[in-house]
Amino acid sequence: MKNYKEYLTEVKMSRVFNHFTNPDIPVGVITTFRKDKPVEEGIKDNKILAQKLRSAGYGYVWVDGAWKETDEETGEKVDVQEDSILVIGAENDNNKLYDILLENTKKYEQDGFMFKPEGTTEVFIVDEEGNKDKIADGSEDFKQDKFEYGYTIL
């Protein structure tokens, strides 16, 4: 018989926030969802991506994410809610997590992913070509309330 620890996973926002402000590890947020694809396809692909991340040795947490996608008809940015994967790296990652996230951003035709490299507390949005747009300049800029309400919800 399994005990409760095998069924229960507790994640607190403060712990997730601590990962993003820890300069020793990389952290990322990615999804396979697109507003022009069926939700069922996003769910299936997210599970495949999560298995790939786990097989590569990474821990992850499911989060409710948001993104601004470009509407194909109007060209305007549209807010999209989507299930996302918060991926927690390890020390001495040597860009392995970054490479996996970039590869899957391209594979699943995503606009980008959120990433905090190891060795820093700067947080970036990385597009499908690998171009980085800094959204926080270290832990002084990246406050917990900004993370909770601006980027993702547990």
Side-chain angles (χ1 to χ4, degrees), residues 9-26:
T9 302
E10 181 178 338
V11 179
K12 294 183 179 179
M13 182 55 78
S14 61
R15 182 178 164 124
V16 170
F17 181 74
N18 285 337
H19 290 306
F20 268 93
T21 56
N22 177 351
D24 298 329
I25 61 169

mmCIF file of all heavy atoms in Angstrom, residues 9-26:
data_model
loop_
_atom_site.group_PDB
_atom_site.id
_atom_site.type_symbol
_atom_site.label_atom_id
_atom_site.label_comp_id
_atom_site.label_asym_id
_atom_site.label_seq_id
_atom_site.Cartn_x
_atom_site.Cartn_y
_atom_site.Cartn_z
ATOM 1 N N THR A 9 1.845 16.011 -3.498
ATOM 2 C CA THR A 9 2.963 16.875 -3.828
ATOM 3 C C THR A 9 2.529 18.284 -3.473
ATOM 4 O O THR A 9 1.596 18.813 -4.064
ATOM 5 C CB THR A 9 3.310 16.805 -5.324
ATOM 6 O OG1 THR A 9 3.612 15.459 -5.653
ATOM 7 C CG2 THR A 9 4.487 17.688 -5.650
ATOM 8 N N GLU A 10 3.186 18.892 -2.522
ATOM 9 C CA GLU A 10 2.840 20.245 -2.119
ATOM 10 C C GLU A 10 3.854 21.203 -2.700
ATOM 11 O O GLU A 10 5.053 21.007 -2.590
ATOM 12 C CB GLU A 10 2.833 20.371 -0.599
ATOM 13 C CG GLU A 10 2.451 21.752 -0.142
ATOM 14 C CD GLU A 10 2.392 21.859 1.368
ATOM 15 O OE1 GLU A 10 2.235 20.829 2.028
ATOM 16 O OE2 GLU A 10 2.522 22.980 1.856
ATOM 17 N N VAL A 11 3.358 22.221 -3.339
ATOM 18 C CA VAL A 11 4.222 23.241 -3.904
ATOM 19 C C VAL A 11 3.757 24.583 -3.375
ATOM 20 O O VAL A 11 2.591 24.922 -3.486
ATOM 21 C CB VAL A 11 4.140 23.239 -5.442
ATOM 22 C CG1 VAL A 11 5.029 24.325 -6.006
ATOM 23 C CG2 VAL A 11 4.508 21.891 -5.997
ATOM 24 N N LYS A 12 4.664 25.309 -2.793
ATOM 25 C CA LYS A 12 4.344 26.633 -2.293
ATOM 26 C C LYS A 12 4.986 27.659 -3.208
ATOM 27 O O LYS A 12 6.094 27.465 -3.700
ATOM 28 C CB LYS A 12 4.861 26.803 -0.872
ATOM 29 C CG LYS A 12 4.158 25.904 0.125
ATOM 30 C CD LYS A 12 4.643 26.162 1.518
ATOM 31 C CE LYS A 12 3.879 25.254 2.480
ATOM 32 N NZ LYS A 12 4.306 25.437 3.842
ATOM 33 N N MET A 13 4.273 28.770 -3.434
ATOM 34 C CA MET A 13 4.802 29.816 -4.297
ATOM 35 C C MET A 13 6.138 30.325 -3.779
ATOM 36 O O MET A 13 7.033 30.621 -4.568
ATOM 37 C CB MET A 13 3.792 30.957 -4.421
ATOM 38 C CG MET A 13 4.258 32.061 -5.344
ATOM 39 S SD MET A 13 4.711 31.511 -7.005
ATOM 40 C CE MET A 13 3.122 31.320 -7.735
ATOM 41 N N SER A 14 6.310 30.403 -2.476
ATOM 42 C CA SER A 14 7.581 30.907 -1.942
ATOM 43 C C SER A 14 8.743 30.002 -2.350
ATOM 44 O O SER A 14 9.833 30.485 -2.660
ATOM 45 C CB SER A 14 7.514 31.037 -0.420
ATOM 46 O OG SER A 14 7.269 29.782 0.179
ATOM 47 N N ARG A 15 8.507 28.696 -2.393
ATOM 48 C CA ARG A 15 9.570 27.772 -2.811
ATOM 49 C C ARG A 15 9.896 27.948 -4.295
ATOM 50 O O ARG A 15 11.056 27.971 -4.700
ATOM 51 C CB ARG A 15 9.164 26.327 -2.528
ATOM 52 C CG ARG A 15 10.262 25.359 -2.906
ATOM 53 C CD ARG A 15 9.872 23.943 -2.592
ATOM 54 N NE ARG A 15 10.760 23.065 -3.313
ATOM 55 C CZ ARG A 15 11.491 22.133 -2.773
ATOM 56 N NH1 ARG A 15 11.423 21.930 -1.486
ATOM 57 N NH2 ARG A 15 12.264 21.385 -3.503
ATOM 58 N N VAL A 16 8.861 28.090 -5.125
ATOM 59 C CA VAL A 16 9.068 28.320 -6.555
ATOM 60 C C VAL A 16 9.816 29.632 -6.755
ATOM 61 O O VAL A 16 10.775 29.710 -7.529
ATOM 62 C CB VAL A 16 7.720 28.327 -7.312
ATOM 63 C CG1 VAL A 16 7.904 28.796 -8.736
ATOM 64 C CG2 VAL A 16 7.082 26.951 -7.257
ATOM 65 N N PHE A 17 9.402 30.673 -6.057
ATOM 66 C CA PHE A 17 10.061 31.977 -6.147
ATOM 67 C C PHE A 17 11.532 31.856 -5.741
ATOM 68 O O PHE A 17 12.405 32.451 -6.385
ATOM 69 C CB PHE A 17 9.333 32.990 -5.265
ATOM 70 C CG PHE A 17 9.933 34.355 -5.311
ATOM 71 C CD1 PHE A 17 9.763 35.162 -6.425
ATOM 72 C CD2 PHE A 17 10.669 34.830 -4.248
ATOM 73 C CE1 PHE A 17 10.319 36.428 -6.475
ATOM 74 C CE2 PHE A 17 11.228 36.093 -4.294
ATOM 75 C CZ PHE A 17 11.049 36.895 -5.411
ATOM 76 N N ASN A 18 11.807 31.071 -4.719
ATOM 77 C CA ASN A 18 13.196 30.874 -4.291
ATOM 78 C C ASN A 18 14.049 30.248 -5.384
ATOM 79 O O ASN A 18 15.232 30.566 -5.513
ATOM 80 C CB ASN A 18 13.265 30.027 -3.018
ATOM 81 C CG ASN A 18 12.851 30.791 -1.792
ATOM 82 O OD1 ASN A 18 12.897 32.010 -1.760
ATOM 83 N ND2 ASN A 18 12.422 30.074 -0.767
ATOM 84 N N HIS A 19 13.476 29.374 -6.184
ATOM 85 C CA HIS A 19 14.222 28.796 -7.312
ATOM 86 C C HIS A 19 14.623 29.886 -8.303
ATOM 87 O O HIS A 19 15.738 29.892 -8.816
ATOM 88 C CB HIS A 19 13.410 27.720 -8.031
ATOM 89 C CG HIS A 19 13.220 26.469 -7.251
ATOM 90 N ND1 HIS A 19 14.263 25.754 -6.716
ATOM 91 C CD2 HIS A 19 12.097 25.795 -6.917
ATOM 92 C CE1 HIS A 19 13.799 24.695 -6.084
ATOM 93 N NE2 HIS A 19 12.483 24.695 -6.195
ATOM 94 N N PHE A 20 13.700 30.821 -8.568
ATOM 95 C CA PHE A 20 13.992 31.883 -9.524
ATOM 96 C C PHE A 20 15.001 32.899 -8.996
ATOM 97 O O PHE A 20 15.649 33.580 -9.787
ATOM 98 C CB PHE A 20 12.714 32.600 -9.955
ATOM 99 C CG PHE A 20 12.101 32.007 -11.185
ATOM 100 C CD1 PHE A 20 11.129 31.033 -11.092
ATOM 101 C CD2 PHE A 20 12.511 32.410 -12.442
ATOM 102 C CE1 PHE A 20 10.570 30.473 -12.229
ATOM 103 C CE2 PHE A 20 11.970 31.854 -13.593
ATOM 104 C CZ PHE A 20 10.994 30.878 -13.476
ATOM 105 N N THR A 21 15.129 33.004 -7.701
ATOM 106 C CA THR A 21 16.091 33.962 -7.148
ATOM 107 C C THR A 21 17.368 33.274 -6.665
ATOM 108 O O THR A 21 18.242 33.928 -6.108
ATOM 109 C CB THR A 21 15.446 34.765 -5.996
ATOM 110 O OG1 THR A 21 14.957 33.872 -4.996
ATOM 111 C CG2 THR A 21 14.312 35.633 -6.516
ATOM 112 N N ASN A 22 17.509 31.979 -6.915
ATOM 113 C CA ASN A 22 18.720 31.235 -6.572
ATOM 114 C C ASN A 22 19.673 31.290 -7.773
ATOM 115 O O ASN A 22 19.379 30.710 -8.817
ATOM 116 C CB ASN A 22 18.359 29.782 -6.247
ATOM 117 C CG ASN A 22 19.557 28.919 -5.942
ATOM 118 O OD1 ASN A 22 20.713 29.317 -6.118
ATOM 119 N ND2 ASN A 22 19.305 27.704 -5.496
ATOM 120 N N PRO A 23 20.819 31.952 -7.641
ATOM 121 C CA PRO A 23 21.720 32.070 -8.787
ATOM 122 C C PRO A 23 22.413 30.765 -9.176
ATOM 123 O O PRO A 23 23.027 30.690 -10.240
ATOM 124 C CB PRO A 23 22.745 33.111 -8.323
ATOM 125 C CG PRO A 23 22.735 33.004 -6.842
ATOM 126 C CD PRO A 23 21.327 32.637 -6.462
ATOM 127 N N ASP A 24 22.305 29.739 -8.364
ATOM 128 C CA ASP A 24 23.057 28.501 -8.610
ATOM 129 C C ASP A 24 22.380 27.518 -9.554
ATOM 130 O O ASP A 24 23.016 26.560 -9.993
ATOM 131 C CB ASP A 24 23.334 27.786 -7.280
ATOM 132 C CG ASP A 24 24.191 28.626 -6.354
ATOM 133 O OD1 ASP A 24 25.027 29.407 -6.870
ATOM 134 O OD2 ASP A 24 24.019 28.514 -5.130
ATOM 135 N N ILE A 25 21.093 27.732 -9.859
ATOM 136 C CA ILE A 25 20.374 26.763 -10.701
ATOM 137 C C ILE A 25 19.610 27.465 -11.817
ATOM 138 O O ILE A 25 19.171 28.599 -11.672
ATOM 139 C CB ILE A 25 19.380 25.915 -9.879
ATOM 140 C CG1 ILE A 25 18.314 26.793 -9.233
ATOM 141 C CG2 ILE A 25 20.101 25.052 -8.858
ATOM 142 C CD1 ILE A 25 17.156 26.039 -8.632
ATOM 143 N N PRO A 26 19.413 26.775 -12.952
ATOM 144 C CA PRO A 26 18.552 27.317 -14.001
ATOM 145 C C PRO A 26 17.092 26.935 -13.736
ATOM 146 O O PRO A 26 16.820 25.895 -13.136
ATOM 147 C CB PRO A 26 19.061 26.619 -15.264
ATOM 148 C CG PRO A 26 19.562 25.305 -14.781
ATOM 149 C CD PRO A 26 20.102 25.551 -13.390
#
